Amino acid sequence: MVAAAIIVDGRLLLAQRTRPPELAGLWELPGGKAEAGETAEDALRRELREELGIEVSGGDRIGDDVPLPDGRVLRAYRVELVSGTPVALDHADLRWVDGRELGEIDLVGNDRGWVPDLRLHLNGW
Ligand code: CDP
């Protein structure tokens, strides 16, 4: 599983989940499942095009691996916004947060361990 840290002007893009019910309303770094044969960067480019209508590039790791209960691993990557304005095509809402807001928002549990690393790149803390 891959998740994107998109940071513009010291703010991180967060997306609010609509499903499953236990995660609905919580905020996450957008992303999803890499398909067979896809690199992490390929998967992020596809997922962010589908979910947010944007083009991104790059993919340096940020934060630690998060082992998921089903044996998969969730990894976050810093990507650059190349073109487009994010639209919540598959989420309830989107927000750009600074470091203080990132510390206060209700993130999905899997993403919480990334906060200290993410904050190093954000304004306002
Ligand atoms: O796009 P797709 O439906 O394949 O994936 P998703 O529903 O966005 O993510 C699948 C699972 O990955 C979620 O149920 C979460 O457990 C996990 N995930 C996460 O914990 N944190 C993220 N930033 C992205 C995904």
Side-chain angles (χ1 to χ4, degrees), residues 1 33 66-74:
M1 306 296 296
K33 186 177 186 303
V66 181
L68 300 177
D70 61 7
R72 292 183 298 180
V73 175
L74 176 64

Side-chain angles (χ1 to χ4, degrees), residues 82-101:
V82 173
S83 64
T85 299
V87 176
L89 301 173
D90 191 44
H91 286 90
D93 202 0
L94 302 176
R95 262 186 79 177
W96 293 95
V97 297
D98 66 16
R100 182 183 58 77
E101 292 160 339

Side-chain angles (χ1 to χ4, degrees), residues 50-65:
E50 290 171 4
E51 293 183 2
L52 302 172
I54 58 173
E55 296 296 325
V56 301
S57 70
D60 291 340
R61 289 293 315 277
I62 187 167
D64 293 330
D65 286 3

